[in-house]
Amino acid sequence: MGRSQFSVQVEGLNQLKKTLRQLKDKDLSKKVREANKEAAEIVKPDAQKGVPQHTRTPKDNKRYRPGKLAKSVKVVASANSAAIKAGTSARAPYAGAIHFGFPKRGISPNRFLYRAMARNSDKVSQTYEREIAAVLRDKLES
């Protein structure tokens, strides 16, 4: 399946990353990673609510447990970016089929991650701007 992303572009971010690399300040990089993570955490609850809900039926496999996909939604952040991911190869390998669809199996796409990001994009950008400004202000004052 193809991989696509919904992203927020930040003006001056490349220059900030370049400056961080030049400074080699691990504490500053850690604070930028935390700011990235905090901005992305806003989307997580909405994404978990958007996961299609299903209940067990008598015909289901005994190992099938509803809710695994919602529990697998997590935030991954670095000093360069943050991402919301759903599913793992071990616990919910069907996440891609649910999100992007699988026409051969009659599964239509349910882009719950994209919808969650679209609904929260304003909050994410405001939080990111506020957090990065605080990090830079703290660095300049010290």
Side-chain angles (χ1 to χ4, degrees):
M1 287 188 201
R3 221 172 212 210
S4 58
Q5 295 178 335
F6 186 103
S7 62
V8 175
Q9 298 295 323
V10 179
E11 284 185 37
L13 184 60
N14 288 335
Q15 183 62 37
L16 175 64
K17 290 190 287 190
K18 182 179 176 183
T19 305
L20 285 174
R21 281 192 304 270
Q22 289 172 346
L23 290 174
K24 295 181 182 175
D25 187 348
K26 291 188 183 216
D27 187 47
L28 185 60
S29 293
K30 182 180 176 186
K31 288 180 181 179
V32 170
R33 184 183 68 78
E34 289 170 359
N36 287 342
K37 185 172 183 175
E38 188 169 328
E41 285 284 347
I42 293 170
V43 179
K44 184 180 175 182
D46 201 10
Q48 288 174 322
K49 289 178 193 170
V51 172
Q53 301 299 316
H54 183 68
T55 55
R56 278 184 67 104
T57 63
K59 292 183 178 181
D60 285 334
N61 187 323
K62 290 180 183 177
R63 294 187 309 168
Y64 171 69
R65 291 192 195 125
K68 282 181 153 185
L69 183 56
K71 289 177 187 173
S72 74
V73 175
K74 66 180 181 174
V75 174
V76 179
S78 70
N80 296 326
S81 66
I84 311 287
K85 296 185 176 187
T88 63
S89 60
R91 295 181 180 242
Y94 49 87
I98 299 294
H99 194 266
F100 297 108
F102 199 151
K104 289 182 180 179
R105 300 283 171 113
I107 300 172
S108 57
N110 182 340
R111 301 186 191 271
F112 59 94
L113 292 174
Y114 290 168
R115 284 195 307 272
M117 183 59 200
R119 283 192 292 265
N120 294 293
S121 63
D122 290 338
K123 288 183 203 173
V124 169
S125 60
Q126 289 170 357
T127 302
Y128 187 74
E129 184 178 327
R130 184 181 63 244
E131 293 298 319
I132 291 296
V135 167
L136 294 176
R137 191 171 38 253
D138 288 346
K139 183 62 179 174
L140 293 174
E141 289 175 357
S142 60

